[in-house]
Amino acid sequence: MKPREICERVQWMGAVDWNRRLFDSLIPLPDGTSYNAYFVQGSDKTALLDTVDPAMQEVLFRHLANVERIDYLVSHHAEQDHSGSIPFVLQRYGEARVVCTPKARTLLMEHLGLPDDRILTVEDGETLSLGDKTLRFLHTPWVHWPETMVSYLPEDRVLFSCDLFGSHLATSQLYAGRDPAVYEAAKRYYAEIMMPFRKMIQNHLKKLRELEFDWIAPSHGPIYDQPDWIVSAYEDWASDRVANQAVIAYISMHGSTEAMVNYLLDALAERGVRVQKFELSAVDIGKLAMALVDAATLVIGTPTVHGGPHPNVFSATHLANALRPKLRYAAIIGSYGWGTKAVEQISSLIPNLKVEVLGTVLCKGLPQAETFSALDDLAAAIAERHAAL
Ligand code: FEO
């Protein structure tokens, strides 16, 4: 694709990565992604906002073919998918200075070896004049890493939002409109990238609501031309509200834990609780993370392997703990052969989850009548708590 104009002398110059399937060697990318760079031409100066993943730097250089001068290279975020091509841009544009937060300066020097004398740091609220256009920088730490900022172009009412509001979505569409596919990708992205920093995101959203913008131009995915749509969605996802939903994440070796999970699922559904069930032998962790955005309860189901939880349960529980969803309740169920420390080990894995544990139901071998009775009690306890939400 060629550079695309958002408004007068403001252009998208990103790269669409249709074929990438994994991010950070962890996050599945079922729909690819994009790395959005933007070029702003003021009457006196020019600014390139971010670069692209170094694997796609030739795409950026094609966009820049007719750009003779870059005065400022704004780096909102030091992660390599946006900063990785900065050294090549600095090499070609000898006059360009990198503009970033003080924290980003250190990270860019450490991660990319940028020379100190090519970096200009900006404080929260500081502005940079390009002549008839101005960039105002707002520090927004932890919209993925601690050094991040966003920038605002008041003359054109554009917010360049860094990873915030992003979506891992390869598409030929420049604008998001109200496309449900973008909503799905943005929610998945929020779950995987932003959810651990939910409390800080709440504060950033309040600060950004004070600005007037017609476009939000994130670092990944389409540009929001109806920006209230995504800001409202974020306000909902990042809020303290939880839904009448339970997530059951489980694995079963010989069918006993599966039988318990299915019984509990039916018991919850009969009591009006929506349940999302994830079998962990081949789970899309992005979908599991998305389910945790709104859920009130997490039920972990595991057989016992070598005295503790199944390794896949161990891994999913560790991930849920790292993502810090706003869960209120949890429970552990499962079957074991002759002895188990599964409950103790799972409990030690979730210090970040501020949950009330509503029950543990374990059985030796096949579930019996008393197992199903205990699962009925657990379902009743979950439904009662959810009814009071
Ligand atoms: Fe898109 Fe945190 O990098």
Side-chain angles (χ1 to χ4, degrees):
M1 271 184 276
K2 294 182 176 163
R4 300 169 87 174
E5 192 166 78
I6 305 166
C7 49
E8 196 184 358
R9 289 177 286 126
V10 179
Q11 290 176 291
W12 172 88
M13 286 197 179
V16 180
D17 200 339
W18 295 89
N19 297 332
R20 189 164 175 179
R21 286 291 169 264
L22 201 59
F23 192 79
D24 288 348
S25 299
L26 173 68
I27 296 168
L29 300 178
D31 303 307
T33 190
S34 66
Y35 319 107
N36 296 334
Y38 301 95
F39 185 69
V40 182
Q41 167 93 57
S43 56
D44 298 336
K45 305 275 188 189
T46 61
L48 178 66
L49 311 188
D50 293 314
T51 65
V52 301
D53 191 281
M56 303 196 87
Q57 59 163 291
E58 80 283 358
V59 176
L60 177 63
F61 280 107
R62 271 208 303 277
H63 293 324
L64 291 169
N66 297 319
V67 172
E68 289 175 2
R69 183 179 174 90
I70 294 174
D71 295 289
Y72 302 112
L73 203 177
V74 175
S75 176
H76 293 114
H77 181 16
E79 191 167 15
Q80 290 83 344
D81 53 326
H82 310 294
S83 68
S85 298
I86 289 178
F88 309 106
V89 175
L90 290 185
Q91 212 171 7
R92 173 160 159 191
Y93 294 92
E95 70 287 349
R97 303 274 302 276
V98 174
V99 178
C100 63
T101 65
K103 271 206 178 99
R105 173 178 166 273
T106 311
L107 291 178
L108 288 168
M109 290 170 67
E110 289 169 348
H111 291 270
L112 296 170
L114 295 194
D116 198 13
D117 62 357
R118 301 289 302 272
I119 301 176
L120 183 68
T121 61
V122 287
E123 296 302 322
D124 184 32
E126 197 170 329
T127 58
L128 187 65
S129 174
L130 306 178
D132 61 350
K133 293 184 190 288
T134 315
L135 289 171
R136 189 192 306 165
F137 304 106
L138 301 167
H139 288 195
T140 49
W142 296 106
V143 295
H144 196 193
W145 284 10
E147 85 299 0
T148 43
M149 68 173 184
V150 302
S151 54
Y152 176 55
L153 179 57
E155 291 84 358
D156 297 304
R157 295 164 61 102
V158 185
L159 175 69
F160 299 97
S161 65
C162 182
D163 272 354
L164 189 67
F165 307 123
S167 59
H168 283 309
L169 185 63
T171 170
S172 60
Q173 288 173 244
L174 183 60
Y175 296 112
R178 285 176 176 259
D179 185 343
V182 179
Y183 181 93
E184 175 92 359
K187 186 171 186 180
R188 174 188 272 262
Y189 183 96
Y190 166 84
E192 294 163 334
I193 309 281
M194 297 293 157
M195 191 156 65
F197 317 112
R198 189 173 65 84
K199 288 292 179 184
M200 275 165 279
I201 303 282
Q202 287 178 356
N203 293 332
H204 296 330
L205 293 173
K206 281 185 202 142
K207 194 160 136 181
L208 297 179
R209 271 292 191 195
E210 290 168 14
L211 304 174
E212 293 184 341
F213 41 79
D214 297 327
W215 290 279
I216 292 179
S219 295
H220 296 283
I223 294 165
Y224 297 96
D225 49 342
Q226 299 179 45
D228 189 59
W229 178 63
I230 190 66
V231 178
S232 299
Y234 257 67
E235 284 168 342
D236 178 36
W237 301 333
S239 76
D240 295 331
R241 289 185 299 277
V242 288
N244 177 21
Q245 291 175 21
V247 169
I248 305 181
Y250 79 102
I251 203 159
S252 188
M253 289 164 65
H254 300 292
S256 295
T257 300
E258 174 102 47
M260 296 172 72
V261 163
N262 289 340
Y263 188 90
L264 179 65
L265 191 155
D266 287 348
L268 286 167
E270 279 165 16
R271 289 166 174 81
V273 177
R274 184 185 169 208
V275 184
Q276 287 174 280
K277 174 179 148 179
F278 294 90
E279 201 277 330
L280 295 172
S281 62
V283 72
D284 173 344
I285 58 169
K287 283 201 167 176
L288 174 59
M290 271 173 80
L292 293 173
V293 170
D294 306 308
T297 297
L298 172 63
V299 178
I300 298 166
T302 186
T304 289
V305 183
H306 300 308
H310 189 284
N312 291 30
V313 172
F314 206 91
S315 170
T317 307
H318 174 76
L319 181 71
N321 181 64
L323 293 177
R324 296 171 183 260
K326 54 188 176 188
L327 292 163
R328 302 267 180 89
Y329 310 107
I332 302 166
I333 65 174
S335 168
Y336 60 94
W338 47 91
T340 181
K341 294 280 183 200
V343 169
E344 293 88 329
Q345 291 188 22
I346 289 172
S347 300
S348 72
L349 287 173
I350 52 173
N352 293 343
L353 302 184
K354 306 303 176 202
V355 290
E356 179 188 353
V357 177
L358 296 180
T360 57
V361 181
L362 296 185
C363 69
K364 193 173 181 182
L366 293 168
Q368 308 291 331
E370 60 269 25
T371 315
F372 295 121
S373 170
L375 291 170
D376 277 325
D377 292 345
L378 176 59
I382 293 171
E384 188 186 317
R385 295 297 201 289
H386 284 206
L389 288 172

